[in-house]
Amino acid sequence: MGKGALALLVHGGTENWSPQRWKARFGEVCGDRPVVLLPDPALDPAEVHYAAVWKPKPGELAAFKNLRVIFNLGAGVDALMADRSLPDVPLVRVAVDDLTDRMTEYVVLHVLMHHRQEPYLRESQRVRRWAPKYQWAASALTVGIMGLGTLGAASAHALGALGFRVVGWSRSEKQVVGIRCFHGSDGFDAFLRETNILVCLLPLTPETRHILNRGVFTKLNRTSPLGAPVVINAGRGGLQNEADILRALDDGTLGAASLDVYETEPLPGDSPFWSHPKVVLTPHNAADTDADEISKYVARQIARFEAGEALENVVDRTRGY
Ligand code: NDP
Ligand code: OXD
């Protein structure tokens, strides 16, 4: 082989993650670079310089001794961070407008759904009940965004533009126009005390695992017209303590939850979330990864790398995101 190969390793299980589809897209943007779908018994691992992966199993990349860069085909790298044998080369995550816009759509949709009392209205329609409830202004509610990175910051801006009061929480100190920013464990309680609708867009790391728990829910602000606060999680399932969410919904600590991610995916058929009247459930597709956009993004990054320029969106392995 001339140019080092790009190896594709995709375990998605859904139509969007069809390995053949990704191979075709990468084939279109990689020029004369060979694109190989793994596993491929005929492949000499030494020929692979780049790996583009989604949910590889621990150890699956260890054999590629000449690897130069690993590209994660999504924004969240928690599955890769769990692999102790991951080759020690730069790990690049996805940060592209296409994915960011999709997540912003999800967050705006679900914040508005709760703000505009859609579950109540849909139930009213179902039982033919004409019983309007007052629709208050967006400015009556504070949305608190956990994670002010690529996705959180974009959602915060979109919600601010709709008139919501927006507060944000991150690990390091931030200044974002129009958003009251809190950071670190010292700023967490003050952030929660302001928040009526909590949106979680954190990465899953040892520090953030089960951060959505009962202790946090009890600190949320209950003084808005919404009454009981709402939680929206589109980060990762491991961020939420699912038993705590169910208990908080049942005893009124939380008024509702929108969940896109779960500790076990696909969500088991016997999960109480499926039929819970206060849960709005989606199957981890808040922001789908688009094969066209992402293959072009990876090809651009390889071109930068080979031209001696810095790679973008490299994961800090010590922080875990
Ligand atoms: P970024 O890395 O850009 O941002 C992460 C944010 O979280 C940063 O603001 C960071 O703080 C903050 N953060 C991390 N750890 C902590 C902590 N311990 N305490 C407080 N704040 C913390 O990630 P993205 O915005 O691109 O993506 C976020 C997550 O969204 C992904 O990791 C993934 O899990 C999830 N995701 C879900 C999708 C879906 O379809 N459901 C699709 C795409 C992504 P700081 O700025 O100080 O570093
Ligand atoms: C991602 C995801 O991290 O799809 O991109 O969850």
Side-chain angles (χ1 to χ4, degrees):
M1 282 185 191
K3 283 187 172 173
L6 179 133
L8 257 173
L9 188 49
V10 176
H11 296 297
T14 60
E15 189 194 351
N16 189 40
W17 287 108
S18 143
Q20 292 303 341
R21 182 157 170 264
W22 282 84
K23 183 167 190 278
R25 291 295 162 275
F26 271 103
E28 284 161 18
V29 294
C30 279
D32 53 357
R33 183 183 308 286
V35 177
V36 230
L37 204 53
L38 297 181
D40 179 348
L43 175 71
D44 174 2
E47 290 178 352
V48 174
H49 288 181
Y50 304 100
V53 302
W54 185 237
K55 296 187 181 162
K57 299 193 179 85
E60 275 191 302
L61 293 175
F64 299 101
K65 302 295 178 201
N66 293 329
L67 212 51
R68 296 178 182 172
V69 185
I70 301 169
F71 296 96
N72 185 50
L73 295 175
V77 293
D78 43 293
L80 285 165
M81 288 293 96
D83 182 354
R84 296 278 157 241
S85 65
L86 196 71
D88 188 15
V89 297
L91 167 61
V92 172
R93 66 189 195 89
V94 163
V96 294
D97 288 349
D98 177 79
L99 186 87
T100 305
D101 292 347
R102 290 163 193 252
M103 184 58 87
T104 303
E105 286 177 12
Y106 169 89
V107 172
V108 168
L109 172 71
H110 285 261
V111 167
L112 285 176
M113 189 185 305
H114 296 292
H115 161 58
R116 298 287 309 193
Q117 308 175 86
E118 273 294 308
Y120 169 81
L121 291 171
R122 298 287 64 82
E123 177 58 14
S124 297
Q125 179 179 353
R126 197 183 66 78
V127 299
R128 298 170 176 262
R129 175 182 62 204
W130 184 274
K133 281 192 187 176
Y134 182 69
Q135 293 285 12
W136 52 89
S139 59
L141 294 182
T142 300
V143 183
I145 315 258
M146 296 170 85
L148 282 177
T150 310
L151 303 181
S155 288
H157 286 304
L159 292 166
L162 285 171
F164 290 99
R165 297 190 302 247
V166 183
V167 294
W169 183 68
S170 53
R171 200 180 49 83
S172 58
E173 189 169 359
K174 294 223 179 315
Q175 290 190 347
V176 186
V177 179
I179 295 153
R180 286 193 56 210
C181 296
F182 299 84
H183 69 279
S185 43
D186 289 351
F188 196 35
D189 282 6
F191 161 81
L192 296 173
R193 276 198 299 273
E194 304 253 333
T195 297
N196 308 124
I197 298 183
L198 184 68
V199 176
C200 185
L201 288 172
L202 288 170
L204 178 60
T205 68
E207 279 180 42
T208 60
R209 181 169 291 281
H210 283 190
I211 196 165
L212 296 175
N213 59 48
R214 185 165 185 86
V216 161
F217 304 149
T218 57
K219 290 176 185 161
L220 292 168
N221 185 296
R222 305 179 68 84
T223 64
S224 79
L226 205 58
V230 168
V231 166
I232 298 174
N233 183 17
R236 280 289 180 269
L239 296 163
Q240 68 204 12
N241 180 322
E242 299 192 342
D244 282 7
I245 292 182
L246 287 165
R247 190 151 67 95
L249 289 170
D250 290 341
D251 70 13
T253 303
L254 289 177
S258 282
L259 303 175
D260 185 57
V261 287
Y262 310 90
E263 294 226 51
T264 304
E265 294 181 7
L267 185 65
D270 61 357
S271 166
F273 286 140
W274 284 110
S275 53
H276 200 291
K278 294 183 180 173
V279 172
V280 184
L281 180 159
T282 48
H284 195 150
N285 67 345
D288 276 334
T289 307
D290 181 78
D292 286 336
E293 290 292 329
I294 305 307
S295 54
K296 285 185 211 151
Y297 166 78
V298 171
R300 273 199 309 275
Q301 292 260 22
I302 292 177
R304 287 178 70 91
F305 181 73
E306 297 200 333
E309 293 168 35
L311 289 163
E312 296 164 330
N313 308 310
V314 176
V315 171
D316 178 334
R317 292 208 194 190
T318 323
R319 290 187 324 196
Y321 67 96

